[in-house]
Structure formats: C-alpha cells, structure tokens
C-alpha cells in the first residue's frame, strides 16, 4: 500500500464489508469500520484537504489513535499532500514531552492540521493554549459526515513523499523530521509481509501510538495493506490495564501484535492469576518486540508466565528498526533453550530482503571482521531520503561511504555486531562512557541498576568533571524513599554487569528525568541539565 487503500483492496479482492478497524476504548464497547467505511472516509478527508491546501503541502495529522487518525492520514496521502503524524495537545504523549508539538510545528511549517473531537477533550481552555502552536485546523468529524466529491487520487502524486515522521529526540536535543518516500514505504511493507507471514486476512492488535513508526507502519499500514482486521486501542488503555491488550489478542485470535520491551515486563508484573486464567494466546504467532533494547530476561519471564495461556516458546520475534529505515530492518526468532550471556543481548535476525547491514569502525570507516563490534550502517530500498529542513545533518548521516569511497549508507549511530548473519544491537555511540581509556555502555549500566532495584523507574549514567578529576555518576529516578543500602546494591550490580565503577549515585523523584513521548529518557537533555538534577537529588 502506498497511501492507496483502494488499490490494495482491489488487488487482493478484500471484501468491502470486512472489518478493517475495531476500536476498543477500554469501556467494553467496540467501534467497527469496514474497509468500505475507511475508503469512504479517506475520500472525504482527501477532498477537504485538497480544497484547503496547495499540492505537496505538509499537513499535521493530530488525531487520537483510532479510525479518525487512519482516515485522516490516508486522506492526506490521497490528496497528494504529505501527512505529518503528531499526537494531540493534552494527550499522554503531550504531557510527557510538551515541547515536541511546538518543535514539529516549527520545523515542518505545515499548511494545515487535521484534528478530531478528542483534540479539545473536556477542557475548552485548551483551545486558547494550543492555537498559537498550530496552523489552520480542519476538523475531521464533520468532514467524515458530510457528502463531498471523491477527492484527488494519488496516482498523479507519485513523487510526493509518503509521510514525514518526526523522531522523539531520545539521544539528540531536537526532534528530526524523517522524509519517507512512497517507494521506501512500499518496500518496507513488502518486507514486513515476508518477515511475518500469516497476517493477510487475519487479525492483529495494536495499542502503539500511531504517531511513531512502529505504531504507524507496523501497527496500521502493514495490516491494512494485507486486508487484516486491526483491533486498536489507546496507549492510555494499555497503561491503565495491561490485561486489556492480552484480552484483545485472546478474544480476536490475533496472529500478530508488537510492543516495546517494557510492555511485556508490565504484563508480567501486573496481570493477576485470575486474569491469566481467562486468556487463550495460542493464535499469537508473532510477538514482535522492538523500539527499545530487546532483553532475553524479559522474553524468558513473559514466556514462563503466559505458557499456561498457550503462549508458544518461539512466539517472540526480537526486531530491529527505526524511522530512518521506514520501520523494519531485521527480525529474528528467539530460542528460549539457547543459553544467555551476561549482557542480556539478543540477536534480532538477519536483515530483511534487500537491506544491507554493514558493521563499520566509526572512526576509520572501515568494515570490521565478522563478530566484531562497530557502528551499524544501513542501505537498501526502505531507507528514508533525508531529514526535513536539516541539510547539514542529512549530509552527515545519509549517503555515507566507506573508507575506500564505496557504497552509500545511512549511519545509524547504533553500535552492534553481526553474529551468524544476525544483527545484535549493543547500544548507542552517544551512550558510551569513556573511563581511563576504556569505553563502557551507559545503557548496560542503566539496565543493571533497574534490574537491581525495583523502585528505579528510569536512570541515566554519565561522567562529570570536578576539581578532583572525572567522576562517574548515575542519576536514578525512583518511586518511594530509597533505603541506605540501595546505593551499594546498585553499585555492585552495575560493576558486575558493565565493569563500570560508579563514584556517585543520586536519587531523584519520580518524573524528574526528561523523557520522550514514548517514555524513553532524553539523554542529551539530562546531560544539559546535569547540575540541576544532581542538586535535586535526595
């Protein structure tokens, strides 16, 4: 599918009355839209957008997760405009990262913004607060109900980008707009189909925010292109009741559902024995895990906990992907009988068809030997074109050549290795800590701290220069009041797992560390505000 649901429906002979979207709002009721309903709504949105914006304009899609978002996104594409998905003001994501929407509006210079009824919520005062951040608004709700022409078909706009996806700014100080071409989207959808067989005509479940690549491409566009029925719910529903996710998979016999590592951990902790007894997860063929470091211990714990509900031992699909590759780069299978290492690292499969993964020494720009660590460089038909309005950064990371001037690669900034042809991601270059000439992974240290103490919700490891020299420090966001022995517990765990000895461990209140809309710590902003965080320590 290249923004053209009608073509997919015709080519695959998808019945128009088949359920395309089943939206579960968490109240026990469901809202169903057939493929005919989605196509009809898409045409109406396309007509409204075409009338209000110039050709190839960028249009924000700021709707809540659900049918309105899908129809708006596809309608913008159908009109020959470029959708820029972003979460609505006042949403859970906006509360976590309130500056993100302002940054997206500023950098995209969008001509219009599509919104729905959830945009204002129950607080009419929100309208006054958010209008300065937004271009002209088009309310999707009356558009979906009105009688309008069929809208512009996207055949005439093949050179228009498929969408612009803004990154969350996990390691950078700024969000970046990734420009994804229609050919790249098409290639990645084909790769997803080949990598996760059995989706066509079946049911999938997603609660992932559609404003990010994993929720948009993996959760919505790929299943729709295959004629699947998508059960979707808001991230708020999942966070409030993790069992709702598993119940949807069980009730609808879903074959695929994806989530970051933390979601599987949350289910292990919060699903009760009584809730577990009512689940049937035998239909779940692809439990995709990605978006953040994939952990062997998490997959082991989830498999053991939900085995009695029919969750198969080889259901997990550890995956590697990013917005700059449209989404999927590689996906593997997990063998629970395979012994794990100290680092908890997991292979994420071989690169998808057409994708090339090269492990390169980040300074010499020479490929390293098989099994050796280096920076992950990518090439292939799914790669994005560039960053929006950021020529300097685009030149630095897109179209990179090896030391012999061969090839054209994207520099991911991720560290990893190839083991038996499979990608193993070990961390980010930006998260390396150098102590006495030796590099240590801040991410391994942070995971060791969270594993050592259940009250640690998030943390960031770094170094700081003092009058006594360079000192290593860890700032831990904790719930509750830490005990006197907690510092020794964390220091021992981090030293054992990562080899890093922490000079200083500081506890801060829950919510003190700046995070992205998906809940990841914004490392660069933490380091910018390091003095303030240290001063706020308990």
């Amino acid at each position: 599918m290249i923004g053209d649901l009608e073509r997919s429906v015709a080519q695959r002979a998808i019945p128009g009355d088949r359920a395309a979207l089943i939206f579960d709002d968490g109240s026990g009721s469901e809202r169903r839209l057939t493929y005919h309903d989605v196509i009809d709504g898409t045409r109406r949105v396309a007509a409204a957008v075409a009338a209000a914006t110039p050709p190839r304009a960028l249009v924000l899609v700021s709707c809540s997760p659900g049918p309105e978002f899908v129809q708006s996104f596809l309608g913008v594409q159908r009109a020959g405009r470029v959708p820029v998905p972003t979460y609505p003001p006042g949403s859970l994501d906006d509360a976590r990262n309130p500056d993100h929407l302002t940054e997206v509006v500023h950098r995209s210079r969008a001509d219009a913004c599509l919104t729905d009824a959830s945009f204002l919520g129950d607080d009419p005062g929100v309208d006054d607060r958010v209008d300065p951040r937004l271009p002209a608004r088009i309310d999707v709700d009356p558009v979906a109900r009105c009688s309008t022409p069929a809208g512009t078909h996207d055949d005439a706009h093949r050179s228009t980008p498929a969408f612009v996806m803004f990154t969350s700014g996990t390691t950078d100080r700024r969000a970046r707009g990734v420009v994804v071409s229609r050919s790249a989207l098409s290639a990645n959808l084909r790769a997803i189909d080949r990598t996760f067989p059995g989706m066509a005509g079946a049911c999938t479940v997603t609660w992932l925010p559609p404003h990010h690549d994993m929720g948009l491409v993996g959760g919505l566009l790929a299943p729709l292109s295959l004629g699947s029925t998508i059960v979707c719910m808001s991230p708020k529903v999942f966070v409030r009741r993790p069992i709702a996710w598993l119940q949807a998979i069980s009730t609808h016999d879903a074959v695929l559902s994806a989530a970051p590592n933390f979601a599987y951990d949350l289910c292990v902790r919060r699903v009760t024995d009584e809730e577990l007894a009512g689940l049937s997860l035998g239909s779940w063929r692809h439990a995709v895990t990605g978006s953040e470091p994939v952990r062997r211990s998490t997959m082991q714990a989830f498999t053991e906990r939900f085995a009695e509900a029919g969750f198969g031992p080889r259901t997990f699909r550890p995956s590697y992907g990013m917005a700059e590759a449209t989404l999927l780069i590689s996906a593997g299978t997990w063998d629970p009988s395979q012994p794990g290492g100290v680092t908890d690292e997991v292979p994420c499969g071989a690169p998808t068809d057409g994708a090339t993964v090269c492990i390169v020494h980040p300074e010499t720009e020479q490929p390293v030997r098989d099994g050796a660590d280096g920076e992950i460089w990518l090439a292939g038909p799914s790669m994005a074109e560039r960053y929006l309005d950021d020529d300097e950064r685009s030149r630095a990371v897109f179209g990179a050549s090896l030391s012999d001037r061969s090839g054209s690669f994207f520099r991911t900034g991720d560290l990893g290795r190839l083991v038996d042809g499979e990608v193993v991601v070990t961390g980010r270059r930006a998260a390396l800590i150098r102590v006495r000439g030796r590099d240590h992974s801040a991410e391994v240290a942070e995971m060791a701290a969270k594993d050592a103490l259940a009250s640690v919700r998030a943390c960031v490891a770094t170094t700081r220069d003092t009058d006594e020299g360079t000192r290593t420090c860890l700032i831990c966001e904790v719930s509750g009041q830490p005990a006197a022995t907690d510092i020794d517990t964390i220091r021992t765990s981090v030293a054992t797992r990562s080899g890093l000895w922490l000079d200083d461990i500081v506890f801060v209140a829950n919510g003190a560390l700046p995070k992205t809309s998906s809940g990841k710590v914004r490392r660069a902003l933490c380091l910018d505000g390091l003095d303030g965080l240290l001063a706020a320590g308990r």
Side-chain angles (χ1 to χ4, degrees):
M1 183 177 67
I2 321 171
D4 183 3
L5 187 59
E6 292 145 288
R7 183 178 294 115
S8 291
V9 168
Q11 289 177 344
R12 293 182 174 272
I14 300 169
D17 59 355
R18 175 183 294 172
L21 298 169
I22 301 175
F23 183 65
D24 181 354
D25 64 3
S27 67
S29 62
E30 294 180 341
R31 179 183 172 195
R32 291 175 175 254
L33 268 70
T34 65
Y35 273 85
H36 174 79
D37 295 332
V38 173
I39 290 171
D40 186 61
T42 296
R43 290 174 174 175
R44 297 175 190 279
V45 170
V49 170
T53 60
R56 298 177 62 88
L58 272 65
V59 179
L60 298 180
V61 180
S62 189
C63 301
S64 59
E68 285 73 24
F69 177 91
V70 174
Q71 292 172 322
S72 297
F73 183 92
L74 296 178
V76 173
Q77 285 187 327
R78 194 180 199 282
R81 278 61 171 172
V82 183
V84 183
T86 186
Y87 45 77
S91 64
L92 178 64
D93 288 332
D94 190 44
R96 285 175 169 171
N97 192 2
D99 296 329
H100 184 79
L101 179 58
T102 302
E103 192 169 10
V104 170
V105 171
H106 171 70
R107 297 196 179 283
S108 68
R109 297 196 294 273
D111 288 272
C113 176
L114 283 166
T115 66
D116 63 354
S118 69
F119 187 83
L120 299 181
D122 298 324
D123 182 4
V126 172
D127 194 29
D128 294 332
R129 294 199 299 272
V130 302
D131 262 355
R133 296 190 283 181
L134 296 169
R137 280 172 40 199
I138 302 173
D139 190 345
V140 174
D141 298 304
V143 167
R145 293 191 296 268
C146 73
S147 176
T148 62
T152 304
H153 198 281
D154 68 356
D155 274 341
H157 306 282
R158 291 297 162 192
S159 62
T160 305
F163 58 85
V164 172
M165 174 66 66
F166 273 82
T167 62
S168 56
T170 308
T171 53
D172 291 339
R173 289 166 176 80
R174 55 180 285 188
R176 301 186 188 278
V178 179
V179 180
V180 177
S181 69
R182 295 183 174 228
S183 61
L185 174 57
S186 181
N188 210 246
L189 294 179
R190 289 193 299 271
I192 291 171
D193 181 21
R194 289 191 294 267
T195 304
F196 306 113
M199 290 172 60
C203 181
T204 65
V205 174
T206 182
W207 56 264
L208 299 172
H211 321 102
H212 299 295
D213 53 343
M214 195 173 177
L216 174 65
V217 180
L220 295 175
L221 300 185
L224 282 175
S225 72
L226 296 170
S228 305
T229 295
I230 308 170
V231 179
C232 55
M233 61 183 66
S234 164
K236 290 183 179 179
V237 172
F238 167 74
V239 171
R240 202 163 47 236
R241 293 184 62 246
I243 185 61
W245 174 39
L246 304 184
Q247 286 173 335
I249 295 170
S250 175
T251 300
H252 296 278
D253 293 326
V255 300
L256 181 144
S257 192
N261 194 87
F262 87 88
Y264 296 99
D265 278 335
L266 196 62
C267 289
V268 170
R269 293 199 307 268
R270 289 179 49 185
V271 172
T272 66
D273 290 343
E274 183 180 3
E275 291 171 333
L276 175 60
L279 294 176
S280 176
L281 302 177
S283 65
W284 200 357
R285 293 179 56 185
H286 307 293
V288 182
T289 174
S291 180
E292 60 186 25
V294 178
R295 305 187 63 187
R296 185 184 307 274
S297 55
T298 294
M299 294 190 292
Q300 185 71 51
F302 188 93
T303 299
E304 292 174 357
R305 174 67 172 149
F306 294 98
E308 65 181 81
F311 187 84
R314 297 177 183 272
T315 303
F316 269 116
R317 303 297 308 274
S319 304
Y320 176 48
M322 61 179 58
E324 288 87 347
T326 304
L327 176 62
L328 183 66
I329 297 167
S330 68
T333 54
W334 178 63
D335 183 357
S337 65
Q338 185 177 358
V342 176
T343 61
D344 210 18
E345 295 169 354
V346 177
C348 291
T352 59
D353 293 348
T356 298
V357 172
C358 187
I359 310 299
V360 180
H361 190 289
E363 295 171 2
T364 66
E365 298 182 346
Q366 292 180 330
V368 302
R369 59 178 173 79
D370 289 347
D373 290 336
E375 183 181 4
I376 300 174
W377 288 23
L378 303 175
S382 294
M383 298 310 301
E385 296 178 343
R386 57 185 170 85
Y387 290 125
L388 183 71
D389 194 27
D390 196 342
D391 293 340
E392 181 179 357
R393 181 64 177 170
S394 294
R395 285 192 296 269
V397 297
F398 286 93
S401 297
L402 299 173
S403 57
D404 62 2
R405 302 304 172 205
S406 65
S408 178
F409 295 90
F410 170 75
R411 301 188 64 157
T412 67
D414 288 332
L415 299 174
R417 66 181 79 96
L418 284 172
V419 179
D420 297 328
E422 294 196 52
V423 181
V424 179
V425 183
T426 59
R428 293 281 299 173
R429 284 192 68 195
L432 286 179
I433 298 174
R434 174 154 285 196
V435 180
R436 291 182 288 277
R438 182 183 173 191
D439 287 333
H440 299 265
S441 169
E443 293 166 316
V444 171
E446 291 154 7
M447 283 192 287
K450 288 189 282 189
D451 287 345
L453 203 62
S455 62
V456 176
R457 298 300 184 219
C459 53
V460 61
T462 187
T463 59
R464 63 190 181 104
D465 294 328
T466 69
D467 293 340
E468 296 119 14
T470 301
R471 296 178 66 84
T472 57
C473 65
L474 180 75
I475 302 173
C476 296
E477 185 181 282
V478 295
S479 59
Q481 187 64 35
T485 59
D486 289 345
I487 287 180
D488 288 337
T489 300
I490 290 175
R491 183 175 280 132
T492 300
S493 176
V494 170
T496 302
R497 286 266 293 275
S498 72
L500 180 68
W501 180 259
L502 294 170
D503 297 311
D504 303 305
I505 298 175
V506 176
F507 297 111
V508 296
N510 199 16
L513 296 179
K515 299 182 182 69
T516 69
S517 60
S518 54
K520 299 178 186 177
V521 171
R522 301 190 72 179
R523 187 176 302 276
L525 290 186
C526 287
L527 301 186
D528 285 347
L530 184 60
D531 291 341
L533 289 169
L534 292 172
R538 305 182 191 182

